[in-house]
Amino acid sequence: MSRPDLGCDYLMSIKNSIVHYVDKNLVTEEVSVNCRESVLPGSPELEHLSGQIKKNHRTKAEKYYGFFASDSDSTDPQSTLSLSLDDYLNEKLNWIAFSKGLAEAYGSAITASMLATGGYLYLEHYTESAKDYLLVAILSQVKGVTVTDELSL
């Protein structure tokens, strides 16, 4: 099976990835977080998903990036994320615990937003051109039908 052309002309390696589900009930405004308990296994499908997210990001006119201020307050959520990321990168915190913390923080953040509904939280630690990156994406669920290579539904 040949790899699909995703427009990726760089060397990229997925180190860890996971998906959690964060749901907000629009009537009660209660937020529930359903966390996966294991890392997503490497597969062509995972590489395809990762490549598609990055390709879609590159083609969007409006881009969003995050960064951490160097003089963060330890009570600030941004600082808490920065400290957790440091702990993960320094192997004081494993990927599962780090990603669950992010899912819980996202759940808390959407509580305050009237329009936020949650969704599938996809997290990926990858390297590209010898640099580490953290990809955070909210994936929407689309109901549909899939046709397999054997032409079955």
Side-chain angles (χ1 to χ4, degrees), residues 42-101:
S43 68
E45 293 82 10
L46 179 63
E47 288 183 26
H48 180 74
L49 172 65
S50 176
Q52 283 297 111
I53 291 170
K54 292 173 187 101
K55 180 180 178 182
N56 288 344
H57 178 74
R58 281 194 311 274
T59 59
K60 288 198 181 267
E62 232 177 288
K63 304 222 188 300
Y64 298 97
Y65 297 92
F67 65 92
F68 300 111
S70 59
D71 57 346
S72 297
D73 173 9
S74 64
T75 61
D76 177 30
Q78 179 181 342
S79 178
T80 303
L81 173 59
S82 176
L83 294 172
S84 294
L85 182 58
D86 282 344
D87 284 348
Y88 164 68
L89 293 173
N90 292 316
E91 299 180 1
K92 295 178 185 172
L93 193 62
N94 69 34
W95 176 250
I96 304 295
F98 170 68
S99 69
K100 283 182 177 181

Side-chain angles (χ1 to χ4, degrees), residues 18-22 33 99-107 118-124 135-139:
I18 197 163
V19 65
H20 301 301
Y21 185 68
V22 180
V33 180
S99 69
K100 283 182 177 181
L102 269 167
E104 293 293 338
Y106 174 64
Y120 291 95
L121 179 63
Y122 177 74
L123 304 166
E124 179 182 291
L135 170 66
V136 180
I138 305 300
L139 306 178

Side-chain angles (χ1 to χ4, degrees), residues 2 5 11 14 18 26 54 58 66 74-75 79 82 84 87 109 112-113 115 119 129 132 134:
S2 65
D5 177 19
L11 183 59
I14 299 173
I18 197 163
L26 293 178
K54 292 173 187 101
R58 281 194 311 274
S74 64
T75 61
S79 178
S82 176
S84 294
D87 284 348
S113 175
L115 298 177
S129 303
D132 285 299
L134 176 64

Side-chain angles (χ1 to χ4, degrees), residues 1 45 48 142-153:
M1 178 177 185
E45 293 82 10
H48 180 74
V142 177
K143 295 184 190 255
V145 176
T146 301
V147 179
T148 67
D149 289 339
E150 293 78 30
L151 302 178
S152 63
L153 302 179

